[in-house]
Amino acid sequence: MWAVGSRWVEGGTDIAHGLMARVLSWIINNFAMLLLGRKVHDYTSGFVAARSEVLEKIRLKGDYGEYCIDLLCRAARLDYQMKELPYVCVPRTSGESKTGINLWDYLSKGRKYVSTIVMLWFNRKG
């Protein structure tokens, strides 16, 4: 069993990031749904809760958001029961965000997301 906090389901939203970041996130997530399946609507959420058996079977791979895309895709492929819950992404009150600070940062991270999605698509079974 696992759960995902999603900005892209009814009741979820992102008020922490500007329009550019929200649009790029929406594009990446729709690209992921197109290639990897629609069991997950927010592949880059980062808010995942899972039973230890899931995390023991599926070791995290990647950096920053790629690990989330990879984990969610592989867990869905293994038919683990999943629940996607809406969440509101709010601005940080402390600490530093790893989210990009400009278009170049977003494109650099997005390139890694796209390559992870394509790699998972090529490595699908069936």
Side-chain angles (χ1 to χ4, degrees):
M1 176 67 150
W2 49 293
V4 180
S6 178
R7 300 162 289 174
W8 306 118
V9 295
E10 186 175 342
T13 192
D14 183 346
I15 60 173
H17 302 100
L19 179 62
M20 178 182 61
R22 291 192 312 269
V23 168
L24 291 171
S25 176
W26 184 87
I27 290 169
I28 287 290
N29 279 290
N30 276 275
F31 180 64
M33 285 189 292
L34 178 69
L35 293 186
L36 305 179
R38 299 192 178 276
K39 288 184 180 180
V40 178
H41 294 87
D42 197 347
Y43 278 94
T44 60
S45 163
F47 288 102
V48 178
R51 291 187 179 266
S52 61
E53 69 186 56
V54 176
L55 298 175
E56 288 168 359
K57 183 160 186 147
I58 304 172
R59 293 290 180 200
L60 296 180
K61 294 181 188 175
D63 185 27
Y64 189 59
E66 303 95 90
Y67 76 88
C68 195
I69 296 167
D70 182 75
L71 171 66
L72 295 175
C73 176
R74 291 190 295 142
R77 287 178 178 172
L78 291 170
D79 286 328
Y80 281 108
Q81 186 180 12
M82 186 269 295
K83 177 75 175 168
E84 202 166 13
L85 305 167
Y87 89 95
V88 177
C89 183
V90 297
R92 286 180 173 265
T93 57
S94 65
E96 292 183 32
S97 175
K98 290 180 270 190
T99 302
I101 57 172
N102 56 41
L103 181 58
W104 180 254
D105 283 348
Y106 287 116
L107 293 177
S108 176
K109 288 176 180 157
R111 172 186 53 80
K112 292 179 181 180
Y113 293 0
V114 169
S115 65
T116 298
I117 292 165
V118 170
M119 181 268 311
L120 287 163
W121 183 76
F122 276 116
N123 291 326
R124 70 194 183 281
K125 293 182 179 162

